[in-house]
Amino acid sequence: MELLKHYTLVAVIGLLSVAILFGLVRAIRGPRRPDRIMGINMIGSFSTALLAALALFLRENWLLDVCLVYGLCSFLAVVILSKIHISGGREDRDGKEESSLYE
Amino acid sequence: MSEWIRWAFAVLFFAAGFVSIAVSIFGVFRFRFVLNRMQAAAIIDTFGMFFITLGLVLLSWDMNYIPKLLLILCFTWVGSPIASHMVGRMEVRTEKNLSQYMEIRDLTQENPENAAENHVPEQCREEEEGKA
């Protein structure tokens, strides 16, 4: 039974790794910044799930704490990147010069 | 015996989670506009994470792991809508040719009663720009 659980977790970790690659492709291909940030958000979600599976696979309880903090940091990164882009891009749409955040 | 049943349900949940993730990834690459893609990507944070976390809970069945796994699920569910909202807002605020992708209705033209209500955000925006 332990061996079966082991192989199940290996399969889950492998499939999540493949999913992370798809997120990376979306983040690289873009074509615009919101697409890239969405790709980063996807990678963050997959990594959180992967870390949780890894915690069970290695039987290390502390990895779940890492996973929790990683999930929060990933969410915070998306919100902050969006905020930065909005503050720089609003003047973009109105045809004025770009904000100093991009300089 | 109960361990086998738990394992079977865990595998079932993992399968459901990966089907959700596959559908989501298909949508992310198939759709042409970022707001549609965002909709597809949100499936990962809701259904995908739910099923995978539930599978992990059943597989571990240990009180050292279960509360933390459920906490991770809670944080994801709280954070995902906010992140999606920010990405959507970013797109609407920064896309110059938004009307190419969707119909934008000017409610002040259609119904003058809405004019006063809709004028408030515009005023706020002007004030913000004035401060900046």
Side-chain angles (χ1 to χ4, degrees), chain B residues 6 17 20 24 34 48-49 56 58 68 74 76-77 91 95 105 109 117-118 121-124:
Chain B
R6 263 207 322 271
S20 312
S24 171
V34 65
M49 281 299 280
L56 290 174
L58 286 176
K68 283 182 187 174
C74 281
T76 313
W77 275 3
E91 173 65 18
E95 170 64 60
R105 289 168 60 196
Q109 296 291 323
E117 196 183 339
N118 283 323
E122 191 65 33
Q123 276 179 341
C124 291

Side-chain angles (χ1 to χ4, degrees), chain A residues 30-87:
Chain A
R32 295 177 59 248
R33 271 203 199 100
D35 296 282
R36 295 184 206 279
I37 292 177
M38 200 194 65
I40 292 167
N41 191 21
M42 277 171 72
I43 294 172
S45 305
F46 288 139
S47 306
T48 311
L50 191 136
L51 273 172
L54 201 65
L56 255 69
F57 182 73
L58 300 173
R59 304 303 293 177
E60 296 282 4
N61 197 9
W62 57 268
L63 259 176
L64 283 178
D65 301 328
V66 176
C67 175
L68 209 59
V69 175
Y70 186 89
L72 287 176
C73 285
S74 149
F75 156 68
L76 213 62
V78 171
V79 171
I80 291 171
L81 281 173
S82 311
K83 278 271 180 196
I84 290 173
H85 188 56
I86 288 171
S87 64

Side-chain angles (χ1 to χ4, degrees), chain B residues 48-127:
Chain B
M49 281 299 280
F50 173 68
F51 284 127
I52 287 177
T53 313
L54 219 59
L56 290 174
V57 163
L58 286 176
L59 214 59
S60 68
W61 209 246
D62 183 348
M63 280 315 282
N64 289 325
Y65 291 85
I66 293 173
K68 283 182 187 174
L69 284 169
L70 294 180
L71 203 62
I72 289 165
L73 184 64
C74 281
F75 277 147
T76 313
W77 275 3
V78 169
S80 164
I82 302 170
S84 294
H85 169 76
M86 290 307 294
V87 173
R89 194 172 146 193
M90 172 171 55
E91 173 65 18
V92 170
R93 296 291 285 271
T94 58
E95 170 64 60
K96 288 176 187 169
N97 303 316
L98 202 62
S99 52
Q100 276 184 1
Y101 301 104
M102 63 178 79
E103 183 190 348
I104 300 173
R105 289 168 60 196
D106 188 357
L107 294 178
T108 56
Q109 296 291 323
E110 287 178 19
N111 188 0
E113 286 173 15
N114 288 333
E117 196 183 339
N118 283 323
H119 199 62
V120 176
E122 191 65 33
Q123 276 179 341
C124 291
R125 201 174 142 196
E126 282 168 8
E127 280 172 18

